[in-house]
Amino acid sequence: AQPERPAFALAFALNEILDICPPALLLNCTSSPCDQLNLGSSCKVLSVSTLSCDRPYASSTESFFPLHNSDHNPAYTLFTSGSTGTPKGITITYSNLLSYLSNISTLVSLSPLDRCTHFFDSSFDLAYHDILFTLLSGATLVIPTPQESLHPAYFVQRHSITCWFSVPSYISIIKRLASSTTIDLSSLRLSIFCGEALTTSDALFFKSLASSS
């Protein structure tokens, strides 16, 4: 979910999802309690802020989910925002993920030397492309700060980004910045856009800044 949404709107949307898909474990990434959520008595709540890499939460004998060795098991369920009605959930299986990652790797090649952008919100489906594809290839996923997201060209230069992935709207942000400062995206070797129409003029403009891409 998107924590920047108003608390009442977020709780309403989450409760509709919880009614459809009751969880066994809820990870709370905020400082707010979960008392507005309709959690079942069997649901465990874990605050991300209390996690420690040195101390695993679950013991070796404790398990939240029964494990079944099948590619058709659900990997995760992705819900729509619910802005136009009740949130709709789509279950993604392990075989779905394997098929996607296998096919995308034949089109796009990443290596452990690559440093990739991560402009998508974690509740958006394309965020999973970023996370899983970089894990699969050993590349580095660089997460921008909110301020860096407003200055994507600066983000690329500061972190020596080699692979760009975003919606074309980000080109408009760069265009506004280019009118007042020099922009160099020469570290990029690969640029991918999706989700919106990419105009020829925008593509040529971006290519002029990322000549090696």
Side-chain angles (χ1 to χ4, degrees):
Q2 299 166 316
E4 68 273 10
R5 295 173 64 180
F8 73 89
L10 185 59
F12 180 80
L14 285 175
N15 279 327
E16 290 197 316
I17 292 174
L18 293 171
D19 289 342
I20 299 170
C21 185
L25 172 67
L26 179 70
L27 293 178
N28 185 6
C29 301
T30 72
S31 58
S32 303
C34 299
D35 50 6
Q36 297 184 55
L37 301 181
N38 301 331
L39 301 175
S41 58
S42 61
C43 178
K44 296 179 181 290
V45 178
L46 181 61
S47 175
V48 172
S49 62
T50 64
L51 291 178
S52 170
C53 295
D54 300 323
R55 181 181 58 82
Y57 177 75
S59 68
S60 58
T61 58
E62 183 179 4
S63 177
F64 291 115
F65 309 104
L67 300 178
H68 302 289
N69 187 18
S70 171
D71 289 346
H72 298 291
N73 279 354
Y76 58 88
T77 299
L78 190 67
F79 279 84
T80 60
S81 66
S83 57
T84 58
T86 302
K88 301 172 181 64
I90 301 296
T91 297
I92 308 298
T93 65
Y94 287 104
S95 59
N96 294 148
L97 285 178
L98 290 171
S99 176
Y100 173 78
L101 292 171
S102 175
N103 281 281
I104 196 67
S105 63
T106 64
L107 299 174
V108 180
S109 178
L110 297 182
S111 81
L113 298 177
D114 282 313
R115 297 174 61 80
C116 307
T117 59
H118 185 55
F119 291 129
F120 300 107
D121 187 272
S122 59
S123 63
F124 192 50
D125 56 349
L126 291 173
Y128 293 91
H129 164 95
D130 287 351
I131 296 168
L132 296 175
F133 196 33
T134 49
L135 281 173
L136 183 68
S137 61
T140 299
L141 187 63
V142 186
I143 303 175
T145 65
Q147 187 67 20
E148 287 175 330
S149 293
L150 298 175
H151 298 81
Y154 168 74
F155 170 69
V156 169
Q157 294 171 218
R158 180 181 183 185
H159 298 282
S160 301
I161 300 297
T162 62
C163 298
W164 174 289
F165 185 35
S166 78
V167 292
S169 298
Y170 270 85
I171 299 179
S172 299
I173 300 175
I174 295 176
K175 277 185 173 180
R176 290 196 296 270
L177 296 173
S179 63
S180 59
T181 186
T182 301
I183 290 178
D184 178 16
L185 302 181
S186 59
S187 65
L188 294 176
R189 70 166 190 85
L190 176 68
S191 301
I192 305 173
F193 296 93
C194 71
E196 301 167 351
L198 175 61
T199 65
T200 301
S201 61
D202 279 352
L204 292 174
F205 170 78
F206 193 89
K207 178 65 175 176
S208 70
L209 300 176
S211 57
S212 300
S213 179

